[in-house]
Amino acid sequence: MLKNTLNNFQKKSLKERFLLVMGMSIFLGYFVLGLIIVFWNFISSNKFPIFMEPMYRVALGFVLIGYSYIRFLRFFNSKND
């Protein structure tokens, strides 16, 4: 399966490979940003730079993680069509 995926990646044009890498990096960016916002108190001893109630901060983090998941699903569903 890994060999098949690697062959499909190599068959893509330069533009398609660039868009694949960009799509995955945007997904990872939103996902990591969501995790950082959720776990800010465990990562840093400083307060969160934007004044927010902890409940709203965690909710914002989960919204970003959910949005990254939706982007991930839409990205790979569009490639299968």
Side-chain angles (χ1 to χ4, degrees):
M1 182 174 158
L2 183 61
K3 189 174 184 178
N4 188 19
T5 304
L6 184 61
N7 286 337
N8 286 340
F9 182 76
Q10 290 175 345
K11 288 179 185 178
K12 293 179 186 261
S13 69
L14 184 61
K15 178 183 172 186
E16 290 173 332
R17 280 187 268 171
F18 175 74
L19 291 175
L20 175 69
V21 170
M22 286 299 295
M24 290 305 296
S25 63
I26 295 295
F27 156 72
L28 286 174
Y30 276 116
F31 187 75
V32 168
L33 182 63
L35 288 177
I36 288 172
I37 289 174
V38 168
F39 296 111
W40 183 267
N41 290 339
F42 300 113
I43 296 171
S44 174
S45 61
N46 298 334
K47 287 188 171 184
F48 192 65
I50 302 170
F51 177 72
M52 295 177 99
E53 295 288 327
M55 180 180 67
Y56 295 130
R57 181 178 47 83
V58 171
L60 175 64
F62 281 125
V63 165
L64 286 173
I65 291 170
Y67 180 66
S68 71
Y69 181 71
I70 291 170
R71 284 187 62 96
F72 182 77
L73 290 178
R74 288 187 64 204
F75 182 73
F76 280 107
N77 284 341
S78 68
K79 297 297 178 187
N80 292 338
D81 292 342

